[in-house]
Amino acid sequence: MKTISCMKIDEQLLQSYNAEIKTYKEKEIIFREGDSPNFYYQIIEGVVKVNNFNDDGKEFIHNILGNGQSFGDAHLFIEKKYTVNAYALKPSTVIILPRKNFINLVEEHPHVSLEMNACLSHRLYFKMKMIHDMVSQQPTARILGLFNYLRSYTDCEDQHAFNIKLTRQQIADLTGLRVETIIRTIKKMEKENLLKIEDRKIYY
């Protein structure tokens, strides 16, 4: 079984457990930090940003997800409120399944449970690795830690094929580096063939 870090359940299976399809407008909130996790969410089409804010109002972007990817999964297994927000970056269609139905689905389909465990473990592994890289004094190591973490949410394995959908300022905010350092380091990384830049877009 190939393990990818962002869970995708067969849509027909979801619908057999009374899943519904919902559309969200651009910038529409799907759930907020502090809400109860009542649904399993999986993107059919669109782009969803998962983030939160610190006490100073500074945004931390956890991920930007697209077609076939799920979000908020881990909260469904514990009695805890969401620690993040999720909203549509552009018009999006999402299949949603009530939490109770989702738990029934997982219990009645062991292969889904195994894939979910692998998915959550994979996410934890890359998040721990990213935290390790973030304490490095080397800008390249910090940036690679972030990029590897973001790519871990996809099944993209080809070199220079994964589009980093973050601005230079957002990368700076997430790595704790100055934006000038990000710009300079990314140019250096391109020369070293660690990434590719096309039309100012970064591909890792």
Side-chain angles (χ1 to χ4, degrees), residues 47-192:
V47 180
V48 171
K49 178 194 265 189
V50 179
N51 72 350
N52 61 4
F53 297 88
N54 65 15
D55 293 338
D56 297 325
K58 186 176 180 179
E59 180 185 27
F60 185 91
I61 300 170
H62 292 268
N63 223 314
I64 296 175
L65 304 168
N67 298 0
Q69 296 184 298
S70 59
F71 52 97
D73 312 358
H75 294 78
L76 296 171
F77 296 98
I78 54 177
E79 296 294 331
K80 301 290 184 182
K81 307 285 188 181
Y82 282 120
T83 56
V84 294
N85 311 293
Y87 69 90
L89 275 182
K90 68 178 187 179
S92 300
T93 304
V94 180
I95 188 164
I96 64 174
L97 181 67
R99 179 181 183 180
K100 181 179 179 180
N101 299 29
F102 170 77
I103 297 299
N104 289 338
L105 185 156
V106 170
E107 289 176 345
E108 294 169 9
H109 295 271
H111 72 281
V112 174
S113 179
L114 286 172
E115 290 174 7
M116 181 69 70
N117 287 334
C119 159
L120 296 176
S121 297
H122 200 62
R123 288 181 183 175
L124 180 61
Y125 168 80
F126 274 97
K127 178 155 272 189
M128 292 175 68
K129 193 172 186 306
M130 182 185 72
I131 291 171
H132 175 270
D133 293 335
M134 285 299 180
V135 301
S136 171
Q137 297 300 311
Q138 299 298 320
T140 298
R142 291 194 189 190
I143 294 171
L144 287 176
L146 174 63
F147 288 1
N148 284 325
Y149 172 68
L150 295 174
R151 191 167 68 175
S152 76
Y153 275 73
T154 75
D155 57 357
C156 178
E157 296 180 345
D158 296 334
Q159 185 181 32
H160 303 161
F162 175 63
N163 179 208
I164 303 295
K165 297 175 183 175
L166 297 173
T167 66
R168 273 55 169 181
Q169 183 62 61
Q170 288 170 333
I171 295 171
D173 291 342
L174 288 169
T175 56
L177 298 168
R178 293 165 56 89
V179 69
E180 294 83 1
T181 303
I182 295 296
I183 293 170
R184 184 172 62 251
T185 305
I186 284 176
K187 288 180 179 178
K188 177 175 176 285
M189 292 170 69
E190 182 183 29
K191 291 179 182 178
E192 295 173 350

Side-chain angles (χ1 to χ4, degrees), residues 22 24-25 27-32 35 85-88:
K22 188 170 181 179
Y24 294 90
K25 300 176 183 177
K27 297 183 179 180
E28 183 176 356
I29 290 287
I30 299 172
F31 59 73
R32 298 179 186 274
D35 288 348
N85 311 293
Y87 69 90

